[in-house]
Every structure is written in structure tokens, then in C-alpha cells.
Amino acid sequence: MAVWDDVVGQERLTEQLAAAARDADALVTAEGAAASGADPIAQSGASKMTHAWLFTGPPGSGRATAARAFAAALQCVSPDRALGGAPGCGFCDGCHTSLVGTHADVEVVRTDLLSIGVKETRDLVRRSSMSPSGGRWQVIVLEDADRLTEGAGNVLLKAVEEPAPRTVWLLCAPSIEDVLPTIRSRCRHVTLRTPPVAAVADVLIRRDGIDPDAAAAAARATQGHIGRARRLATDERARARRAAVLKLPLRVDDIGGCLKGAQELIDAATEDAKQVAEDVDAKETEELRAALGAAAGTGGRMPRGTAGVMKELADKQKRRSTRTQRDSLDLALTDLTGFYRDVLAVQLNATVPLANDEVRDSVRRIAASSSPERTLRRIEAVIACRQALDRNVAPLLAVEAMTAALRKG
């Protein structure tokens, strides 16, 4: 299985990355490149390889998957390369360890917080200045480049502008506008598209062993979002939460229903954050207490001078809980947008398949009782709510304003 097999529905992109990996392999193996001490990338103006890449695409398109696959191809040590085989076999030690996250020269950075700060970015820049310890390249995969603070972006800029020899930066973001202009101008930009529904269903069946009917339903419901489709097909709680969200349009007939529906959305998002906290926070806290010298499970007094460290962890956990709640709310709002998209399709007699076929009766009921103009205004209300949450508006206030707008239409 080649490293590109999990990059779903991106044939042109994988061809481009495979060509770059071939050039990167040739640059590393070329005679005299290491002896000269020069940057092998800079020596070849015609190379399809470069030192910094920016992967953009809509949520669920597989930006991080493509970046990790490219990192694996850069580290490929398959003997078939000497016989003309393409890098990225998927079986050699370089490919396997890169894909599973244990390669010493591939650093994959993702965050479960609201932002990536200056301190973390300085650590990455320090790492990027090192020579590969055993691999062919030093690769830094930054999956959430859009979450860099302005200060962190300025720290990263110098490393991207003047990279160390045989260091490659792979940045991922939803759109090119989410990255500082000074950084994106120094990266080669590659764009991913939303994968076809059939391709997503196929990968769920082939890789995750999901029942074909369940895989098709999940891929259709999420409209090509790979991660959400997998979660929907494998997590009963996710299916229950989505079913509750799809009932909301039928419950906003009066102000009381609007307020109750908004509160239930917030409560569901809060519950998601609480579940994550229960799974992670207690373990993190106990591990840190043990590392600082407290006896495990005693809840005893901490050694002197450790209060600041414990407070830092508590602040991190609070920020993670905030992001989890926002992500859960955003997922619910995305499902709501999909519902009204189906309503609009029915109103306009479009031939596209419904994403929410399991609630077809509700879709037709809303479509019959309103007009396309009102449906568009409702979609705009959901989008406005998502934008308000991005601007740190109180979640309950933003969702209540949205449900009131849904009622008005």
C-alpha cells in the first residue's frame, strides 16, 4: 500500500507531491550535495521540490493526511527506488514510522487548544535547525497553521524564509488567507478539494471495515468530510447528537422553543467538553503530580514551588475545554446548514441527492411551509452564528440569536 492510498479523491495533488518526492530523493542522493555543504533544494531551480509547503482545503478534505503522506514519501528508504521505483512505498521503515508518528525526523504538531503560541513555535524553529538524525529530511508538519498567533507567525517566518539545509516545513490551514501573507508567499501552495462522497464511503469500507450501507450513509450525511464520516459511522453518541440537531428546525415555532433549542445545543457541546476532560484531564493531572514528587492517588500536598506548574496545566485544560465546546457547536451548526441545504434543494426541485435522507419528511415539511428566500436567510443566520462564535461572542447568546432568526426566516 503506497503512502498516497489514504489521500482520498486528490489524484492531481498526489501526482504533484509524488513528483516532488522523486526530485527530493534525487537531490539527497546526488553526488556531492552533502560534501558541498550547500542546500540541495536551492541548487536546483528546476526542481519540483521546495523547502516549505502550504496545504489548504475545506474541513475534512484531508490536509493533514496529505502532509503526513508527503513526509513519509520524503523519508522513504525502499530499495526499489534504486530500480526506478517511486518514493512512498508505504512498507519500508521510513514510510511506516512516518505514518504512525514515530520517525525521529518527522515532527507532527497539532493542538487541542485555541491557538499556538510563541513558546511552542520557538521550540519548533529550534528543532528545524537540526540536521536529520537518521532520515533523509528533517520534516515539520504543522497541522494547525491557522491557529498561530501573530507573534508565533513572526517567529516562524524567519525559519521558513531561511531554512536549514534538508529541512522541510509542511503547513496546513483551511484557506490561504488563514496564514500570514509573509509566510504564505514563501511556501508552495497546494489546494485540496472536498472528496467525492463515493470515495469517502470507499475508504471507510476498505480501511475501517465499516458496513457498506453505514459507510455510504455517513459519507452522504457529512458531504465528503472524512473525519466526521468515520466518527458518525463508528460512534453511536455522535449519531444521537446529530439526530437531535436535525430536530431543531421543527422546534423553533415560538420563542420558548427557540430558547430551549439553543440551551440544548449549548448543553450538548458542554457535555462533549466534559467527556473529553474526564478522559484526559485526570490522567494528565495525576501524571504531572507524580512527576513533581507527589505520591500517586493520595491527593496529598504538593512539593513547594510546584503551584505554578499545576496552575499552568489547569489553564491549558480550561482552554482545551473551550475549544472542544466550540468545535462541538460548530459541528452542530454544520449539520444544521446541511439540513437547510436539503430544504433549498427540494424547494428548487434540484436533482442532487439529499444529505439528510433519513429526515426526508422533515425536510419536505419545512420546504413546503417556507420559500427559498426564507431558507437562504436561515442559512445566513447559521453562518452568522459561526462567525459570532469565532469572534468570542458568548455561545448561548450567539445560538439564541440564531434560533430566533430561524424562527423568523
Side-chain angles (χ1 to χ4, degrees):
M1 181 182 74
V3 297
W4 314 111
D5 286 358
D6 286 344
V7 185
V8 181
Q10 314 289 343
E11 289 76 13
R12 292 183 61 184
L13 172 70
T14 54
E15 288 175 5
Q16 179 182 357
L17 295 179
R22 286 193 295 270
D23 282 358
D25 182 63
L27 289 168
V28 173
T29 56
E31 263 186 23
S36 67
D39 183 351
I41 294 179
Q43 289 186 338
S44 178
S47 174
K48 295 181 176 64
M49 182 60 185
T50 189
H51 68 276
W53 296 75
L54 176 58
F55 293 77
T56 65
S61 56
R63 300 183 301 264
T65 301
R68 289 195 298 269
F70 186 36
L74 293 177
Q75 303 290 12
C76 183
V77 292
S78 168
D80 291 342
R81 293 177 298 106
L83 303 175
C89 65
F91 294 102
C92 71
D93 184 65
C95 288
H96 177 71
T97 55
S98 297
L99 291 175
V100 300
T102 59
H103 197 293
D105 295 315
V106 178
E107 180 78 4
V108 178
V109 182
R110 62 178 68 88
T111 183
D112 51 11
L113 304 179
L114 294 174
S115 62
I116 300 174
V118 171
K119 180 181 177 182
E120 300 96 318
T121 308
R122 283 179 177 154
D123 291 340
L124 282 181
V125 170
R126 193 176 301 114
R127 164 80 182 255
S128 73
S129 65
M130 302 177 184
S131 298
S133 61
R136 302 172 69 77
W137 298 90
Q138 180 76 252
V139 184
I140 312 291
V141 181
L142 186 54
E143 292 189 0
D144 300 294
D146 54 308
R147 295 188 181 272
L148 289 166
T149 64
E150 184 175 354
N154 290 330
V155 170
L156 179 63
L157 174 61
K158 188 68 173 178
V160 173
E161 191 174 32
E162 299 177 5
R166 288 174 61 184
T167 290
V168 180
W169 288 90
L170 306 180
L171 311 181
C172 306
S175 71
I176 194 170
E177 288 78 16
D178 291 317
V179 180
L180 287 176
T182 48
I183 292 179
R184 69 190 188 220
S185 65
R186 289 162 174 81
C187 298
R188 183 166 297 170
H189 182 209
V190 290
T191 304
L192 286 79
R193 65 187 181 114
T194 299
V197 169
V200 174
D202 177 69
V203 78
L204 292 179
I205 297 168
R206 172 173 50 83
R207 185 176 59 189
D208 301 301
I210 295 171
D211 176 77
D213 291 339
R220 184 179 62 251
T222 57
Q223 290 296 286
H225 191 299
I226 302 169
R228 285 178 54 210
R230 182 180 297 111
R231 184 182 182 192
L232 196 62
T234 58
D235 188 345
E236 181 62 36
R237 292 182 304 181
R239 291 193 290 272
R241 283 193 292 270
R242 181 172 179 275
V245 169
L246 296 181
K247 293 177 182 177
L248 181 65
L250 298 175
R251 303 176 56 195
V252 293
D253 292 335
D254 53 48
I255 290 298
C258 293
L259 299 181
K260 184 177 180 181
Q263 186 64 61
E264 288 177 356
L265 280 183
I266 297 298
D267 290 344
T270 303
E271 182 63 25
D272 267 356
K274 181 180 177 181
Q275 288 174 358
V276 171
E278 289 175 350
D279 294 341
V280 179
D281 290 2
K283 181 180 178 181
E284 280 184 346
T285 302
E286 194 60 39
E287 287 177 349
L288 182 58
R289 286 174 59 85
L292 294 174
T298 65
R301 190 171 180 178
M302 295 295 297
R304 183 174 298 177
T306 60
V309 180
M310 295 301 296
K311 184 178 185 302
E312 184 178 344
L313 176 62
D315 290 342
K316 173 186 174 182
Q317 291 172 344
K318 184 178 179 181
R319 294 194 300 271
R320 179 169 59 206
S321 178
T322 300
R323 178 178 174 184
T324 302
Q325 183 188 43
R326 289 186 182 179
D327 287 350
S328 180
L329 265 178
D330 191 69
L331 183 58
L333 297 177
T334 301
D335 288 333
L336 203 54
T337 304
F339 179 91
Y340 285 114
R341 170 261 192 197
D342 286 348
V343 171
L344 189 63
V346 171
Q347 290 173 330
L348 298 178
N349 295 317
T351 57
V352 296
L354 298 184
N356 303 285
D357 192 62
E358 71 274 21
V359 291
R360 177 182 293 270
D361 291 342
S362 298
V363 168
R364 293 190 179 281
R365 177 177 167 184
I366 298 293
S369 63
S370 64
S371 64
E373 291 79 12
R374 293 183 67 188
T375 302
L376 286 172
R377 285 196 293 269
R378 285 166 170 159
I379 292 174
E380 289 171 353
V382 179
I383 294 172
C385 181
R386 297 179 70 183
Q387 293 171 340
L389 293 172
D390 283 341
R391 295 193 296 268
N392 292 322
V393 174
L396 182 58
L397 182 62
V399 178
E400 284 179 346
M402 179 197 72
T403 55
L406 295 180
R407 173 177 176 266
K408 183 179 179 181

